[in-house]
Amino acid sequence: MDFWDSYRKRMVGDFSGSRIWLGTSVRKNASLRAVEEFSGEVELNTVLFQRYDTAHRYVIAKDVTHDLLFLAYDVNSRDALAARITRDVSSKELTAILSRLRKVKEPNMEFRLIGLQNGGQAQILSMFDKLRRRMRGILVEVDLFGANVRHVALDTKTGMTYNILLLNRIYRAGELSNTLSREDFESKLGQLSFK
């Protein structure tokens, strides 16, 4: 199911003022202890390309707050690209991302957009609009804005995303509330580096 039209319709009014969740099901939980050993981690201002194998099954992103976690997953090859974006993407960076995605033969791409906080930098999402015009794929999950920190894992075997339980237990009420101010986050802005 492609959520592109639903996503575009939500980009009016109080866009970035309240949480947007579009997906086929609620994201399930996975304990950090269960996935960490078999994971590659994508950090802030980093683009990670990972191919599925048993030793590297998951791509994890911890502490997603004001940044955008962009995930591209190819169903056919089980290749995944994960990017933690903190500012507008330059045309050079977008070209590099497209170059990595175009290396996938006969792609069947699924895209996911996760992160940003209420009132955050919605202009970062323009990168996805440009990418989608130049690369075919479907938007399968949108989890944007809101006030909570997100910890996410992408399973490169199945293409499913999970909420990571960092403390290996269900979070208590208010435990995921974001305490990182916009001003503190701005010190972490930077260009993308590719792994």
Side-chain angles (χ1 to χ4, degrees):
M1 174 173 246
D2 191 356
F3 290 106
W4 175 251
D5 290 335
S6 299
Y7 164 72
R8 294 296 295 171
K9 287 176 186 170
R10 299 287 297 268
M11 294 181 76
V12 295
D14 71 341
F15 186 70
S16 89
S18 60
R19 184 174 186 219
I20 297 173
W21 164 256
L22 300 170
T24 55
S25 65
V26 175
R27 199 181 301 134
K28 296 180 181 177
N29 295 327
S31 169
L32 179 63
R33 188 177 299 145
V35 300
E36 189 171 39
E37 181 182 348
F38 311 103
S39 299
E41 185 172 353
V42 61
E43 302 285 343
L44 279 176
N45 302 309
T46 304
V47 178
L48 173 70
F49 186 80
Q50 184 169 302
R51 176 163 283 152
Y52 165 75
D53 65 51
T54 53
H56 301 95
R57 179 171 175 169
Y58 301 95
V59 175
I60 60 175
K62 299 176 191 171
D63 299 314
V64 178
T65 57
H66 299 281
D67 56 307
L68 173 68
L69 173 62
F70 169 72
L71 297 170
Y73 174 74
D74 181 55
V75 175
N76 297 338
S77 67
R78 297 180 179 169
D79 289 340
L81 180 138
R84 298 267 312 263
I85 302 164
T86 59
R87 56 160 186 72
D88 287 339
V89 174
S90 70
S91 59
K92 182 180 176 183
E93 292 168 331
L94 181 60
T95 301
I97 290 171
L98 282 165
S99 174
R100 292 274 175 109
L101 291 176
R102 287 186 175 139
K103 288 181 181 178
V104 177
K105 295 179 182 175
E106 299 179 31
N108 182 7
M109 287 289 174
E110 294 180 346
F111 299 120
R112 290 170 174 81
L113 301 171
I114 301 169
L116 303 176
Q117 297 288 288
N118 283 343
Q121 296 184 6
Q123 70 273 13
I124 291 176
L125 295 168
S126 66
M127 174 278 308
F128 178 66
D129 294 337
K130 293 172 189 170
L131 184 137
R132 192 171 188 280
R133 282 194 292 264
R134 295 167 63 182
M135 176 113 197
R136 288 186 42 192
I138 61 172
L139 183 60
V140 296
E141 184 178 353
V142 177
D143 182 7
L144 296 174
F145 312 118
N148 288 340
V149 176
R150 296 167 177 95
H151 311 287
V152 180
L154 171 69
D155 184 344
T156 59
K157 182 177 182 181
T158 64
M160 291 181 60
T161 54
Y162 295 90
N163 290 318
I164 301 173
L165 304 175
L166 293 183
L167 304 173
N168 301 304
R169 62 166 173 75
I170 300 295
Y171 295 105
R172 295 182 184 101
E175 208 169 356
L176 287 175
S177 295
N178 180 28
T179 57
L180 181 67
S181 71
R182 182 77 198 147
E183 292 75 25
D184 290 339
F185 179 75
E186 286 176 359
S187 68
K188 300 178 181 184
L189 301 182
Q191 294 182 330
L192 292 176
S193 64
F194 291 77
K195 287 185 174 183

